[in-house]
């Protein structure tokens, strides 16, 4: 069927387009040949969709998107809108258009945003993706969870298993974005489950509530994604699973940006990485901006395969077991200015590593913690649970740790193991039962004192230098009396820790006499011999002095 526009352009209605209608208001309008409310397309090169205006003509469809209500979706909080929403999703994908879901409360069972031969054969089987599905005011939609009022666009899944929204592709799909929506699920799997959805894909201004035992959002085997202003709420830390999970179980990838995220009332608020890791499941560059995690068992986990994760200003409160946990398989994790307030955390506010039973495959490497503020320490503020020969590179800079009352908890517990590359710089402790426990760090700056427990390398340029493994020092008052010409006076002093072969330097607190030279050596364990020689031709009456012996072990 053809209609001619006032400007002379022709509109051809094909069989597929005729099957779909605009809103009721448009459908009631009169149109030539009884085609009121049906979609049309230009036959010229623009290929724009048309909507009947109800005033005897056709107009360009604004914004290059379809409206879910044109397909019969009601959004009244009672009608099952599954068929209408799925039809709108599929048709928009076929026409390479975005889909607008107006404000309302839409009930549905499950929705597929991918092709599935059994469950969603109406979606394009090839050339999928590059689509935005958006609603009205995501921030207002999220308010519906706490107020019970139907603000914005709310999608409520009634399926008990899920996932509510299925994006589980078997091959890479680009550019699918959910925006300005609130999603409610009550199932045992996920509210949103995505696999291989990449390249400018993600969630923007989306709220997710999981009322069942399942999780919020899982995004697997993808790259170049963004999740901005995403809020997730579970049914309780002992009920719902993981709030948000970035996972790579099969395919390497990376570059995930999470500028703003909130997660509460899940077992785990945010998990980055897998429980196990291998060459095929590593991924890089996960950048998490300011986020808030509240009322979980463990707030944030970084683990298997995750490399180059940056947590910028995470705020973690009232978590029952751990605040942040950097587990085996994580590498190059940076935690910047975290704030943690977990007064009942039974393990630690920040934990590094798993138990020794996990083995060497659970090693973590290179973790930098910058200016953490940890209040109300209950068990441990920062805890290094497991270390082996490969768990090197931990730097904790300017940590501030405090307990709610005097004598509670441990500030920093380095546990036992090889403290390779462990540095603690300028810590501050308040009210703690123990400030620092476990093995000594390799490098410690505390109260203006620098300690190198495993030794200091002294050298210049490309020189490897000489390793100083220990330094000992002591003073003693020594009286050599008269030393005859060309002879040596010998006395000893105690320097605990000194061993034969160590380097010794001895210095008096003033001149003991004219024409004298002196040196020192370790003559026995914990004993330094001070030797003063008279190089003149006559005897020298010495002055009693206090001598300091400095001993360097190598």
């Amino acid at each position: 069927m053809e209609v001619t526009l006032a400007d002379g352009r022709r509109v051809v209605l094909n069989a597929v387009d005729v099957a779909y209608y605009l809103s009721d208001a448009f459908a009631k309008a009169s149109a030539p040949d009884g085609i009121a409310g049906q979609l049309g397309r230009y036959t010229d090169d623009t290929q724009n969709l048309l909507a009947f205006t109800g005033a005897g003509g056709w107009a360009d469809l604004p914004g290059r998107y379809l409206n879910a209500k044109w397909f019969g979706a009601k959004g009244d909080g009672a009608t099952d809108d599954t068929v209408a929403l799925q039809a709108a999703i599929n048709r928009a994908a076929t026409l390479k258009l975005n889909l607008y879901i107006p404000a309302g409360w839409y009930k549905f069972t499950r929705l597929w945003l991918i092709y599935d031969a059994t469950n969603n054969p109406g979606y394009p089987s090839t050339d999928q993706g590059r689509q935005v599905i958006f609603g009205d005011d995501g921030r207002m939609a999220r308010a519906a969870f706490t107020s019970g009022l139907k603000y914005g666009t709310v999608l409520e899944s009634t399926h008990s298993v899920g996932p509510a929204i299925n994006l589980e592709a078997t091959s890479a799909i680009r550019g699918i974005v959910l925006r300005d929506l609130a999603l409610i699920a009550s199932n045992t799997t996920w509210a949103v489950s995505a696999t291989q959805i990449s390249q400018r894909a993600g969630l923007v201004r989306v709220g997710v509530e999981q009322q069942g035992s399942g999780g919020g959002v899982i995004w697997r085997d993808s790259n170049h994604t963004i999740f901005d202003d995403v809020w997730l709420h579970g049914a309780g830390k002992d009920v719902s699973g993981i709030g948000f999970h970035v996972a790579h179980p099969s395919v390497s990838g990376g570059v995930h940006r999470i500028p703003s995220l909130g997660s509460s009332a899940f077992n785990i608020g945010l998990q980055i990485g897998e429980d196990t890791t291998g060459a095929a499941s590593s991924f890089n560059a996960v950048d998490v901006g300011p986020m808030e995690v509240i009322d979980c068992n463990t707030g944030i986990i970084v683990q298997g395969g995750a490399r180059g994760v940056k947590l910028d200003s995470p705020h973690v409160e009232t978590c029952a077991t751990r605040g942040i946990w950097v587990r085996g398989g994580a590498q190059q994790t940076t935690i910047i200015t975290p704030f943690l307030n977990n007064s009942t955390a039974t393990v630690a506010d920040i934990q590094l590593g798993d138990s020794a039973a996990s083995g060497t495959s659970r090693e973590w490497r290179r973790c930098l913690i910058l200016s953490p503020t940890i209040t109300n320490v209950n068990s441990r503020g920062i805890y290094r649970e497991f270390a082996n020969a490969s768990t090197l590179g931990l730097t904790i800079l300017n940590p501030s740790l405090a307990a709610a009352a005097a004598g509670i908890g441990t500030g920093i517990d380095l546990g036992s193991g090889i403290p390779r590359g462990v540095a603690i710089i300028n810590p501050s402790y308040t009210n703690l039962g123990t400030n620092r426990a476990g093995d000594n760090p390799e490098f410690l700056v505390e109260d203006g004192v620098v300690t190198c427990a495993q030794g200091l390398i002294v050298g210049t340029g490309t020189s490897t230098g000489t390793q100083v493994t220990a330094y000992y020092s002591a003073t003693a008052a020594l009286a050599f009396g008269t030393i005859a010409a060309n002879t040596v006076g010998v006395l000893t002093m105690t320097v605990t820790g000194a061993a034969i072969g160590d380097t010794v330097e001895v210095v008096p607190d003033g001149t003991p006499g004219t024409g004298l030279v002196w040196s020192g050596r370790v003559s026995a364990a914990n004993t330094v011999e001070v030797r003063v020689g008279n190089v003149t031709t006559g005897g020298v009456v010495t002055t009693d002095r206090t001598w300091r012996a400095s001993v360097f072990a190598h």
Side-chain angles (χ1 to χ4, degrees):
M1 176 184 292
E2 291 186 4
V3 288
T4 303
L5 304 184
D7 62 6
R9 289 179 293 175
R10 294 182 303 162
V11 176
V12 178
L13 301 182
N14 60 45
V16 176
D17 288 330
V18 167
Y20 296 98
Y21 293 83
L22 302 177
S23 67
D24 291 341
F26 287 143
K28 292 176 182 177
S30 60
D33 301 318
I35 58 173
Q38 296 168 358
L39 297 182
R41 303 187 76 174
Y42 285 147
T43 56
D44 62 17
D45 292 338
T46 62
Q47 293 292 296
N48 289 329
L49 286 178
L50 300 176
F52 181 62
T53 65
W58 297 81
D60 289 348
L61 188 68
R64 300 286 293 166
Y65 60 81
L66 299 184
N67 187 320
K69 288 199 170 185
W70 298 349
F71 297 81
K74 300 298 183 183
D76 57 10
T79 303
D80 184 348
D81 285 324
T82 304
V83 173
L85 289 173
Q86 192 66 70
I89 291 168
N90 293 352
R91 189 61 184 146
T94 300
L95 297 175
K96 300 302 177 190
L97 294 173
N98 298 326
L99 176 64
Y100 168 53
I101 305 177
W105 199 292
Y106 299 81
K107 288 198 171 182
F108 68 99
T109 53
R110 292 186 293 179
L111 296 174
W112 274 259
L113 274 61
I114 57 166
Y115 172 80
D116 186 288
T118 302
N119 296 294
N120 192 28
Y123 198 91
S125 59
T126 60
D127 195 22
Q128 302 176 61
R130 297 183 296 280
Q131 183 182 46
V132 178
I133 297 177
F134 64 101
D136 278 316
D137 199 340
R139 292 180 178 87
M140 290 297 289
R142 293 194 313 240
F145 295 153
T146 55
S147 69
L149 300 176
K150 298 177 181 179
Y151 293 125
T153 300
V154 181
L155 308 178
E156 181 180 359
S157 170
T158 59
H159 200 275
S160 63
V161 178
I165 294 181
N166 191 311
L167 282 153
E168 297 173 358
T170 56
S171 59
I173 295 178
R174 295 185 176 186
I176 295 180
V177 177
L178 302 181
R179 194 187 77 201
D180 290 306
L181 300 168
L183 175 63
I184 301 175
S186 181
N187 61 41
T188 58
T189 55
W190 297 94
V192 178
S193 179
T195 304
Q196 296 199 59
I197 309 298
S198 302
Q199 301 294 338
R200 297 181 297 279
L203 309 175
V204 178
R205 294 188 298 276
V206 170
V208 175
E209 182 173 19
Q210 174 60 268
Q211 298 176 348
S213 61
V217 175
I218 183 168
W219 218 274
R220 308 177 189 87
D221 293 337
S222 304
N223 57 75
H224 293 91
T225 61
I226 184 167
F227 307 96
D228 190 11
D229 198 5
V230 178
W231 181 88
L232 309 108
H233 184 69
K237 62 179 179 292
D238 297 321
V239 179
S240 300
I242 302 173
F244 196 97
H245 189 183
V246 178
H248 280 259
S250 303
V251 180
S252 299
V255 192
H256 303 285
R257 294 186 60 244
I258 310 176
S260 177
L261 179 74
S263 185
S264 63
F266 287 95
N267 179 37
I268 300 168
L270 167 66
Q271 179 171 319
I272 302 172
E274 296 297 313
D275 291 331
T276 58
T277 181
S281 60
S282 64
F283 59 103
N284 301 297
V286 180
D287 190 350
V288 184
M291 66 174 298
E292 186 174 42
V293 179
I294 299 175
D295 292 334
C296 298
N297 279 318
T298 297
I300 303 169
I301 293 180
V302 181
Q303 60 180 22
R307 299 179 180 179
V309 173
K310 182 179 76 173
L311 305 176
D312 192 348
S313 304
H315 187 116
V316 184
E317 289 199 72
T318 58
C319 289
T321 307
R322 304 170 183 85
I324 299 173
W325 191 5
V326 180
R327 299 188 66 189
Q331 297 187 35
Q332 299 173 342
T333 304
T334 303
I335 306 172
I336 302 173
T337 60
F339 176 84
L340 299 103
N341 179 13
N342 303 286
S343 60
T344 62
T346 57
V347 177
D349 285 276
I350 299 177
Q351 178 177 333
L352 305 161
D354 296 89
S355 66
S358 298
T360 57
S361 63
R362 307 299 291 166
E363 65 199 25
W364 52 272
R365 297 184 181 184
R366 300 181 184 88
C367 181
L368 174 62
I369 306 173
L370 299 177
S371 301
T373 298
I374 303 176
T375 65
N376 291 319
V377 172
N378 180 51
S379 177
R380 306 172 182 91
I382 300 174
Y383 176 38
R384 188 185 70 141
E385 182 179 26
F386 171 64
N388 62 17
S390 295
T391 56
L392 53 87
L394 168 63
T395 300
I396 306 171
L397 177 63
N398 298 327
S400 175
L401 306 105
I408 297 178
T410 299
I412 300 174
D413 185 351
L414 295 181
S416 61
I418 301 172
R420 295 177 61 190
V422 177
I424 302 174
I425 302 173
N426 298 329
S428 171
Y429 307 105
T430 304
N431 284 340
L432 295 161
T434 303
N435 290 343
R436 189 165 52 80
D439 284 352
N440 290 321
E442 194 169 29
F443 182 80
L444 173 67
V445 179
E446 192 171 43
D447 295 329
V449 177
V450 179
T451 304
C452 301
Q454 299 302 311
L456 176 67
I457 299 296
V458 180
T460 58
T462 59
S463 170
T464 57
T466 300
Q467 184 177 21
V468 178
T469 59
Y471 168 74
Y472 311 105
S473 181
T475 60
L478 301 178
F480 286 89
T482 300
I483 302 175
N486 298 311
T487 60
V488 177
V490 179
L491 294 174
T492 61
M493 58 187 293
T494 298
V495 180
T496 302
I500 292 176
D502 291 347
T503 301
V504 178
E505 180 185 43
V506 292
V507 179
D509 63 353
T511 302
T514 302
L516 302 177
V517 294
W518 50 86
S519 65
R521 70 183 183 93
V522 178
S523 58
N526 304 316
T527 303
V528 169
E529 183 180 271
V530 180
R531 302 168 62 85
V532 178
N534 178 3
V535 296
T536 68
T537 58
V540 176
V541 179
T542 65
T543 302
D544 296 348
R545 293 297 182 186
T546 297
W547 292 74
R548 174 174 292 279
S550 296
V551 179
F552 300 88
H554 301 281

